[in-house]
Amino acid sequence: MKRIYTLLFLLLWSSFSLVFGQGILKGRVVDHTNLPLPGAMVSIPTLNIGTVADANGYFLLQDIPEGTQEMTVSYIGYEAMTTSVEVAEGTTMLPLLKFQEIKALNEVVVWGNASGQNKAINQQKASDRIVNVISSDQIGRFPDSNIGDAMKRIPGVYVQYDQGEARFANIRGTAPQLNSITINGERIPSAEAEIRSVQLDLVPADMIQMVEVSKAVTPDMDGDAIGGSVNLQTRVAPADRRVSATLGSGYNFIANKPMLNGSLIYGDRFANDKLGVIVSASVFDHHLGSDNIEGEWDGEQLKEFQVRQYYLQRLRQSYSLGADYKLNDNHTLYLQGMYNHRNDWENRYRLRFDDLEYNEETDTYEAEIRRETKGGANDKNRRLEDQRVYNASLSGDHIFGALTADWKVKYAKASETRPQERYITYRQKGQTVAFDLNDPYQPTPSTTFPEVTSAWDFKEITEENQYTEEEDLTARLNLNWSIAEGEFASKLKFGGKYKLKKKLRDNEFFEFEPIEEDSFFSTLALEDVTKDNYQAGNYAIGQFVSAETLGGLDLSNESLFEKSEVLEEIAGNFNAEEAISAGYISLNQRLGNKLSMVAGVRMEHTQVRYQGFVYQAEFEDQDENLTATGEQTDFYTNWMPGIHLKYEPVQNLLVRAAWTNTIARPNYFDLVPYQQIFREDNELAIGNPALSPTTSMNYDLMGEYYLKSLGLFTAGAFVKQIDDFIVEQVSDEVINGTEYEVTQPINGGDALIAGVEMGIQKRLTFLPFPLNRLNVYSNYTYTFSEVSNFQIEDREDEVIALPGTAAHAFNGSLFYDSKKLNVGVSFNYTSAFIDELGDEPVEDRYYDQVFYLDANANYQVTPQLRIFAEANNLLNQPLRYYQGSVDRTMQIEYYAPRFSFGAKFDL
């Protein structure tokens, strides 16, 4: 107790020490347009005191003696700015420190896209941790519509696609579920039902001020980030009025329809600059689609084959608000909110060769042929997937002498709704078909049975209503105590956080059988959706029940249809609750003028409560039934120490090293105590509430050389020792005297990840005019992984890579950047990697290698008006999975190139 009183006394003494002739300087660094300059170095050289401007350009200098002081502000690429300031007792708020549109040290003007690159480089240099940064201006130099597409430009990051847009991100060889996505430092809830991964195509790229990818997290950050933590920083109120608007259109060559996009930003300060407000909006209406084939293999022969045609309209909307209010020079409150909404209206036409049985003598297959239409009961006759993520937070920054505090309370919610999603299927059994497998990339059937007639059998009509939601309530407090300044400056930071998370899935599923099945077929309208230029191959997909007919069926009319609930399809419903209590303490210590250290430890205590269902399929004289399980609870605690070192042997050369410990919690549905029992087939699927979180001990080393003339060279290495990663196990077990094939998620083993990454950002100033306006932005990452202590039966001795690890990831971009014209091309390559492990190597699923080529250009018509043009996927790169061997296609899906153009206004 005596020690506690002593500590409190020291804190209070330091907090009120300013009454003895000490002062505080607060301010903001901006460019000539009054936009913030993050990462600016602010110092008083004579006192050996300095700090770094935050992401919004604000800085704070403490323990400054009263009187006149010479303050220096430096920013990479520009000459340092020196100004005299009068320091008074208490807090002094300085006027804006503004860099004019000056020249860099080599007399090359910093304009256009280079300005955004400059901000990102400065912020990266100023950070205490290993991090990559992309600013909003830098995002604008790439033709990226969502934040996932923008992230693939970052070293060590590669993305997985859906419908032609980046959806999930892998970081440094780790799958999406091993990483975290945050907005303004707080994790985003997931609209996905079973997993924690966040869909990046929900967030438009033009709504984000800055993207930070932390490769090594500090103790004040959430610890669930094995590969890394991605923070999306939203806009804050500017120093003065800002109005910006974008309006554009484009064309997708697979849907053969136009697109429309627009955005608006307005910000200003009011009430004598005490109140700052910024609002942003973005709308993107895009007609797209895909040409798809899918296969499942048994050795060299097909088990199943599908041809799919997708038509999709995607409407993405995003709105954000940021406000700050200065109570006085020591206390500021913030209000932030963001709402993201994506509607996908989809029709899918699926031709399916099911239950393929190969006849070796005739080299043919016997198959059941199915034709299925997917749609919805709405005015578009399409399946609607309605995903929403929104968050709102109230926070504050406070200065109490040498002690500063910041706090935040946040509410966030994600949801996915699929109302009245409908399917209708007709089939023919016992059909004979041959497949040409000379090109296993595109297996070709001898016929697609293109016409649907009354001889086809009705299989089913289904309608389902899906609903998933996740809610987060978070409260945190951070305290920062400035113990000493100068050459051996020391700051102690400590705090706590509480997060309550609730997740549920509540689906309904019904089958409908026509009362007059024999005459029902004659009431259906058919359409032939065969395309002449089907990009996945020469497939005549043929006739299907039209989407309009499916959407218009009066399924609620009991005189027309008999309705029955399908319990098996809702057996995956569940409720979950997680409570995470966290605390940390860290020391930020300067060890002379060249070396600094951040050392600390974080504790996270997790309590979970899950409830699901037990489903027993119909067996002999026993009807199927569905019963709720009891609630199952568990808890665990993780201690995560870490050390970060930052060494500057010579000016602008940084060497960083880090030792950290991180975790990844199991996916939601894996923890549910569900059971799905199929006694007729002797199959059992069960959850695993006893799963442990995956943990990782991480080692990082990074060298960074910052060029005075605007540029950056980086090279580094990393190692991750991962324990208890999670896989799905299929095993044979005897239960009550009967042998079952049991499927269950388990902690499947450990893994080692090791890799190197290097990058260059450089303006080619050594070339003659006009080539000296070329800019290179390029990076490469090599990653190796190997699983050990593998728990999958019969695969214990195999050399297996960790799912999600791509050996090679390369990004190269070349830009021409002048004051009026900016032109760029970008190339992105990722090698193939294991996406999901099977029971044996021939069943492993791989995500195939990808080559993406994009281009964009913009021209400044007036200082307030720019026009732009963009082209995506110029190589028509498909999404492709293969099974076991690269020549066995599991899925290949083409999206075609797309083009857009428009204008941007800055007033």
Side-chain angles (χ1 to χ4, degrees):
M1 184 64 70
K2 183 177 180 181
R3 292 181 179 178
I4 295 176
Y5 287 146
T6 302
L7 178 60
L8 289 174
F9 173 77
L10 290 173
L11 284 171
L12 290 172
W13 177 263
S14 65
S15 300
F16 292 102
S17 62
L18 293 178
V19 299
F20 300 103
Q22 298 290 90
I24 293 176
L25 292 176
K26 288 183 66 177
R28 193 179 196 186
V29 185
V30 297
D31 63 13
H32 68 284
T33 65
N34 282 340
L35 293 177
L37 291 178
M41 306 292 293
V42 184
S43 64
I44 300 178
T46 58
L47 301 177
N48 204 10
I49 293 176
T51 190
V52 175
D54 65 16
N56 302 310
Y58 290 105
F59 66 89
L60 177 69
L61 287 171
Q62 296 170 287
D63 298 337
I64 312 298
E66 289 185 56
T68 302
Q69 303 289 351
E70 294 295 313
M71 187 173 69
T72 299
V73 184
S74 59
Y75 206 66
I76 293 176
Y78 298 94
E79 298 174 352
M81 176 173 56
T82 300
T83 184
S84 295
V85 295
E86 289 295 325
V87 182
E89 184 180 304
T91 300
T92 300
M93 189 69 189
L94 300 174
L96 289 176
L97 299 176
K98 181 182 295 189
F99 277 99
Q100 300 302 318
E101 191 175 14
I102 60 176
K103 293 183 178 180
L105 298 181
N106 67 344
E107 300 302 309
V108 177
V109 177
V110 178
W111 53 38
N113 291 327
S115 175
Q117 180 183 0
N118 200 27
K119 292 179 182 180
I121 287 176
N122 276 274
Q123 179 122 359
Q124 181 169 328
K125 183 187 180 187
S127 178
D128 290 325
R129 59 187 182 271
I130 297 174
V131 65
N132 295 110
V133 180
I134 299 182
S135 71
S136 59
D137 297 327
Q138 202 170 9
I139 292 173
R141 79 192 316 185
F142 300 109
D144 300 327
S145 60
N146 71 53
I147 207 64
D149 285 313
M151 283 177 55
K152 73 182 180 185
R153 318 294 179 183
I154 296 174
V157 178
Y158 45 97
V159 295
Q160 300 179 35
Y161 276 73
D162 181 77
Q163 290 299 339
E165 294 189 344
R167 173 154 291 186
F168 298 117
N170 298 44
I171 303 175
R172 283 188 162 181
T174 60
Q177 63 267 26
L178 301 183
N179 308 306
S180 68
I181 309 294
T182 65
I183 290 182
N184 300 323
E186 301 298 334
R187 183 146 184 167
I188 310 173
S190 173
E192 294 286 305
E194 299 185 359
I195 61 177
R196 297 178 186 268
S197 305
V198 173
Q199 290 190 331
L200 298 172
D201 52 6
L202 269 171
V203 184
D206 57 7
M207 291 293 289
I208 299 301
Q209 176 174 297
M210 187 171 296
V211 180
E212 295 177 299
V213 179
S214 297
K215 308 288 184 63
V217 298
T218 48
D220 58 339
M221 301 172 65
D222 289 343
D224 54 346
I226 288 179
S229 176
V230 180
N231 184 41
L232 311 179
Q233 184 79 32
T234 59
R235 295 185 180 91
V236 297
D240 63 359
R241 180 172 297 173
R242 181 189 178 195
V243 181
S244 178
T246 301
L247 183 63
S249 184
Y251 197 79
N252 182 290
F253 282 86
I254 205 163
N256 292 319
K257 289 187 177 181
M259 65 182 76
L260 178 67
N261 65 288
S263 65
L264 177 66
I265 303 169
Y266 174 80
D268 206 348
R269 303 205 69 85
F270 308 92
N272 295 321
D273 284 346
K274 283 183 172 292
L275 174 64
V277 177
I278 188 166
V279 292
S280 304
S282 175
V283 177
F284 185 44
D285 190 359
H286 185 192
H287 291 269
L288 60 160
S290 58
D291 297 347
N292 169 296
I293 61 171
E294 300 189 14
E296 184 179 350
W297 297 80
D298 182 7
E300 296 182 355
Q301 302 302 326
L302 282 167
K303 290 173 60 177
E304 181 180 310
F305 183 72
Q306 300 181 24
V307 184
R308 299 182 177 196
Q309 176 65 60
Y310 290 87
Y311 292 104
L312 180 72
Q313 179 185 359
R314 173 166 292 172
L315 176 60
R316 182 166 49 229
Q317 304 173 70
S318 183
Y319 308 93
S320 70
L321 166 70
D324 63 77
Y325 185 76
K326 298 177 182 178
L327 300 174
N328 54 46
D329 289 342
N330 291 325
H331 304 284
T332 304
L333 299 179
Y334 302 90
L335 178 65
Q336 291 177 304
M338 190 174 193
Y339 175 80
N340 296 293
H341 184 193
R342 191 198 68 212
N343 279 341
D344 279 359
W345 288 279
E346 179 183 280
N347 285 131
R348 184 189 72 192
Y349 303 92
R350 180 171 72 169
L351 167 62
R352 182 175 177 181
F353 298 80
D354 198 22
D355 297 331
L356 289 170
E357 293 185 9
Y358 181 63
N359 186 324
E360 189 173 356
E361 293 183 1
T362 61
D363 194 25
T364 60
Y365 295 83
E366 183 176 312
E368 178 180 309
I369 312 301
R370 297 183 184 181
R371 292 187 168 276
E372 177 188 79
T373 302
K374 174 183 181 180
N378 51 57
D379 57 354
K380 296 179 181 291
N381 296 308
R382 291 184 169 188
R383 183 273 287 151
L384 169 62
E385 179 184 88
D386 180 335
Q387 284 201 348
R388 310 181 187 205
V389 176
Y390 58 87
N391 66 87
S393 66
L394 179 66
S395 59
D397 291 337
H398 307 277
I399 302 173
F400 305 99
L403 184 69
T404 61
D406 66 86
W407 57 271
K408 178 182 282 189
V409 177
K410 185 209 74 172
Y411 173 78
K413 182 178 180 179
S415 66
E416 179 182 282
T417 305
R418 293 188 179 191
Q420 294 184 284
E421 180 174 335
R422 291 182 173 183
Y423 298 81
I424 184 169
T425 306
Y426 272 79
R427 65 184 176 185
Q428 278 190 318
K429 294 183 177 181
Q431 301 300 305
T432 299
V433 60
F435 276 90
D436 182 355
L437 301 182
N438 289 323
D439 181 5
Y441 276 73
Q442 295 181 337
T444 304
S446 56
T447 178
T448 59
F449 304 91
E451 292 186 3
V452 179
T453 68
S454 58
W456 286 60
D457 298 323
F458 169 82
K459 183 180 185 298
E460 63 183 2
I461 297 173
T462 65
E463 181 178 275
E464 54 188 299
N465 297 292
Q466 299 183 18
Y467 181 72
T468 300
E469 74 170 26
E470 180 179 329
E471 291 183 290
D472 287 358
L473 181 62
T474 305
R476 65 164 173 83
L477 173 66
N478 298 314
L479 299 171
N480 203 330
W481 177 26
S482 179
I483 301 173
E485 293 289 349
E487 186 176 353
F488 294 91
S490 183
K491 296 181 185 295
L492 185 67
K493 189 174 184 180
F494 51 98
K497 185 175 186 177
Y498 179 78
K499 175 183 286 187
L500 178 63
K501 180 186 293 288
K502 296 182 179 181
K503 183 91 175 184
L504 71 85
R505 175 164 61 184
D506 185 15
N507 294 348
E508 299 176 329
F509 195 100
F510 303 97
E511 280 187 355
F512 297 85
E513 186 172 344
I515 300 296
E516 300 294 338
E517 185 175 320
D518 292 338
S519 60
F520 177 65
F521 179 81
S522 63
T523 67
L524 302 176
L526 303 177
E527 60 178 329
D528 191 334
V529 298
T530 300
K531 294 171 60 175
D532 293 334
N533 59 340
Y534 196 77
Q535 300 196 20
N538 186 23
Y539 301 100
I541 193 169
Q543 286 185 332
F544 293 83
V545 175
S546 73
E548 291 75 15
T549 297
L550 176 61
L553 293 176
D554 186 6
L555 298 181
S556 61
N557 190 333
E558 296 181 358
S559 66
L560 298 177
F561 296 96
E562 181 180 345
K563 176 181 178 181
S564 59
E565 187 175 27
V566 183
L567 298 182
E568 180 183 349
E569 296 292 338
I570 62 174
N573 289 346
F574 68 92
N575 281 281
E577 185 175 295
E578 274 184 3
I580 303 170
S581 304
Y584 74 93
I585 185 168
S586 67
L587 178 67
N588 192 329
Q589 180 68 53
R590 286 183 63 183
L591 302 169
N593 291 323
K594 296 181 180 295
L595 179 64
S596 63
M597 174 188 71
V598 176
V601 61
R602 183 179 184 87
M603 181 279 298
E604 292 188 2
H605 178 73
T606 306
Q607 295 178 292
V608 298
R609 178 191 62 80
Y610 281 79
Q611 178 267 320
F613 289 88
V614 176
Y615 169 75
Q616 296 195 58
E618 181 180 355
F619 180 66
E620 294 180 350
D621 59 348
Q622 179 183 331
D623 294 334
E624 66 171 354
N625 63 82
L626 185 69
T627 58
T629 68
E631 291 184 356
Q632 292 205 16
T633 61
D634 194 10
F635 65 89
Y636 51 88
T637 302
N638 296 97
W639 292 88
M640 293 169 278
I643 299 175
H644 299 251
L645 298 174
K646 181 179 178 181
Y647 178 56
E648 189 171 9
V650 297
Q651 187 177 11
N652 291 329
L653 174 62
L654 293 181
V655 179
R656 303 178 190 265
W659 169 69
T660 57
N661 290 268
T662 48
I663 67 170
R665 295 180 176 86
N667 282 328
Y668 299 112
F669 192 61
D670 290 345
L671 291 167
V672 175
Y674 68 86
Q675 296 182 35
Q676 298 176 10
I677 306 166
F678 303 90
R679 296 173 62 189
E680 183 173 343
D681 300 319
N682 290 346
E683 294 178 351
L684 173 64
I686 56 178
N688 191 350
L691 281 173
S692 298
T694 303
T695 61
S696 180
M697 185 177 291
N698 316 296
Y699 305 88
D700 295 271
L701 180 66
M702 180 65 66
E704 304 167 354
Y705 183 65
Y706 295 84
L707 304 177
K708 293 180 180 180
S709 58
L710 181 59
L712 171 63
F713 295 96
T714 61
F718 56 91
V719 175
K720 298 179 183 295
Q721 294 179 334
I722 296 176
D723 295 327
D724 290 330
F725 72 89
I726 297 169
V727 295
E728 186 177 86
Q729 180 189 58
V730 180
S731 61
D732 294 327
E733 298 183 26
V734 177
I735 302 174
N736 296 328
T738 302
E739 184 175 289
Y740 283 85
E741 182 182 82
V742 180
T743 303
Q744 183 182 38
I746 64 168
N747 291 110
D750 309 323
L752 172 71
I753 297 179
V756 295
E757 66 181 39
M758 56 196 71
I760 177 175
Q761 302 180 47
K762 178 72 173 74
R763 175 174 283 184
L764 305 183
T765 55
F766 57 87
L767 296 176
F769 177 83
L771 297 180
N772 62 347
R773 292 177 175 174
L774 290 173
N775 291 265
V776 173
Y777 180 98
S778 183
N779 50 72
Y780 168 76
T781 303
Y782 170 78
T783 311
F784 165 83
S785 71
E786 185 174 331
V787 170
S788 60
N789 192 29
F790 200 34
Q791 301 299 306
I792 297 297
E793 186 177 350
D794 298 329
R795 303 198 68 176
E796 299 90 343
D797 299 325
E798 292 182 33
V799 177
I800 303 173
L802 184 71
T805 301
H808 306 282
F810 173 77
N811 174 55
S813 302
L814 183 66
F815 297 94
Y816 178 84
D817 193 7
S818 70
K819 193 167 186 177
K820 286 186 174 292
L821 177 65
N822 307 112
V823 181
V825 292
S826 303
F827 175 78
N828 188 272
Y829 167 75
T830 304
S831 60
F833 59 88
I834 293 178
D835 179 65
E836 185 177 291
L837 292 169
D839 295 336
E840 51 185 326
V842 296
E843 295 181 358
D844 291 343
R845 185 177 72 181
Y846 288 78
Y847 192 99
D848 202 2
Q849 63 180 354
V850 294
F851 301 84
Y852 287 102
L853 182 65
D854 305 316
N856 67 319
N858 64 79
Y859 180 76
Q860 185 184 67
V861 181
T862 72
Q864 292 76 37
L865 172 63
R866 278 186 175 270
I867 57 175
F868 65 87
E870 300 174 344
N872 294 85
N873 193 25
L874 289 172
L875 300 179
N876 194 19
Q877 172 65 52
L879 163 71
R880 183 174 185 267
Y881 291 92
Y882 61 86
Q883 181 183 321
S885 173
V886 68
D887 59 357
R888 293 174 188 156
T889 296
M890 288 191 75
Q891 178 183 358
I892 189 166
E893 187 167 273
Y894 286 85
Y895 307 114
R898 68 175 186 267
F899 300 89
S900 58
F901 55 88
K904 182 177 181 180
F905 308 86
D906 290 295
L907 304 179

